[in-house]
Amino acid sequence: MNSLQKTIKKKISFTGIGLHSGQPSKIELLPLKENQGIVFNSINSNQVHKIKANWKYLSSANLCTKIKNKKIEISTIEHLMFSLSALGITNILIRINSSEIPIMDGSAKTFVDEIKKIGVLNQKKIARVLKIKKKIKVINNDKIIEIEPNKNNELEIKLKLNYKNKIIGNQEFSYIHSKEHFLKIYDCRTFCLQEDLEKIFAMGLGRGGSLENAIIVSGEKVLNQGGLRYTDEFVRHKILDCVGDIYLSGYKIFGKIKGYQSGHDMTARLLKEIFKRKANYEII
């Protein structure tokens, strides 16, 4: 069944802090006409610079997803991108007054819940879909991600994690990206090991991180009050990230993704491999 293009019914704003920059950040989401896609407007010193949410603008980034052109760069877009994908939003303008999307609670929950409150608007034109035609596999050291055709007209994702830490350990989760299933992962938060924090700070990252917006694991203990939302919240969050990142294809995707220890960098590599050859996919 064909899906219509969608936007939001009216303007909505979010205010918070950038996870890595530690700087205050405000975004405004506004309705956009058909066939416009997802567009970011960076408003800085009364100048407006535009960039589309598209894999062509992916920039190498540690611990988040970043898009960049000659004028601007915007980081940590993955949770917002997941929210737009989950709600089927294809056309939207995102105004931002900083270089990083606010992290909120470390998941996509706030974005999804508040957008649902104001409502999603069906538009007249049909949304195009990218259908995978050939298996594509990317390997980098011990990390693996692949995508292959599937018989179902949907996006399936199965990821595995293997951590020495006993709290995280070996986790696996299978997910179908749909209105019925996205609630299983949309509130799963980003995470890190306490032992890695010093390294993260040394890289100039994580300046806005806290127990209010990330899961911190110390040895065999979760430091957050209230603990985990799910025992396998870690792998569920990785799938949330993957869905957000893969939406930079510019389309809803029909295919099956499998990954082992994969993250933002591996999904970016996969996207670039998909578009290297037209024989890998078709737009329907």
Side-chain angles (χ1 to χ4, degrees), residues 25-239:
S25 176
K26 179 181 179 180
I27 59 172
E28 293 180 337
L29 311 185
L30 297 95
L32 209 55
K33 293 180 180 180
E34 296 165 322
N35 297 328
Q36 299 302 301
I38 298 168
V39 180
F40 288 88
N41 272 6
S42 176
I43 304 167
N44 197 356
S45 301
N46 295 321
Q47 290 185 317
V48 178
H49 299 299
K50 182 171 79 170
I51 186 170
K52 289 199 81 170
N54 191 278
W55 65 275
K56 295 176 183 177
Y57 302 109
L58 272 167
S59 175
S60 59
N62 289 300
L63 306 177
C64 69
T65 298
K66 180 194 294 184
I67 51 174
K68 181 180 180 180
N69 62 19
K70 291 179 180 179
K71 299 286 186 180
I72 56 167
E73 61 180 47
I74 302 174
S75 300
T76 320
I77 65 172
E78 55 269 19
H79 302 165
L80 179 58
M81 290 297 296
F82 168 88
S83 305
L84 302 178
S85 177
L87 297 173
I89 294 169
T90 52
N91 304 299
I92 195 166
L93 177 64
I94 303 157
R95 290 180 181 157
I96 182 168
N97 69 349
S98 68
S99 62
E100 188 175 16
I101 299 295
I103 191 61
M104 312 314 287
D105 77 339
S107 76
K109 186 178 189 304
T110 304
F111 294 134
V112 170
D113 289 347
E114 294 304 313
I115 293 171
K116 285 173 71 176
K117 284 180 185 177
I118 64 160
V120 175
L121 181 68
N122 284 328
Q123 297 174 298
K124 292 181 179 180
K125 294 191 176 179
I126 300 295
R128 294 193 294 172
V129 175
L130 187 151
K131 187 169 185 175
I132 297 297
K133 295 178 69 178
K134 292 188 175 183
K135 183 175 180 178
I136 304 158
K137 189 171 187 177
V138 179
I139 301 174
N140 184 31
N141 297 320
D142 63 337
K143 299 176 182 178
I144 302 170
I145 192 167
E146 62 183 52
I147 192 167
E148 61 186 7
N150 62 356
K151 295 180 181 178
N152 307 318
N153 286 336
E154 56 199 10
L155 174 63
E156 301 175 74
I157 302 178
K158 183 178 183 179
L159 295 187
K160 295 181 181 180
L161 294 184
N162 183 8
Y163 277 63
K164 292 180 181 178
N165 178 276
K166 290 183 179 180
I167 294 289
I168 303 175
N170 296 306
Q171 296 191 359
E172 180 179 315
F173 196 78
S174 296
Y175 170 78
I176 297 172
H177 191 44
S178 67
K179 291 180 181 178
E180 293 75 27
H181 290 89
F182 80 79
L183 293 175
K184 295 180 179 180
I185 65 171
Y186 88 124
D187 58 346
C188 295
R189 298 160 292 174
T190 192
F191 64 93
C192 76
L193 300 174
Q194 188 178 38
E195 63 201 61
D196 292 334
L197 286 176
E198 189 173 328
K199 188 195 316 180
I200 292 170
F201 295 149
M203 295 163 64
L205 302 173
R207 293 172 178 171
S210 72
L211 294 174
E212 299 298 316
N213 55 38
I215 302 168
I216 308 295
V217 179
S218 178
E220 296 183 32
K221 183 179 178 182
V222 173
L223 299 184
N224 304 67
Q225 188 174 4
L228 299 173
R229 292 173 177 171
Y230 310 89
T231 55
D232 58 356
E233 187 170 356
F234 308 99
V235 69
R236 293 190 194 208
H237 181 79
K238 287 288 188 180
I239 292 178

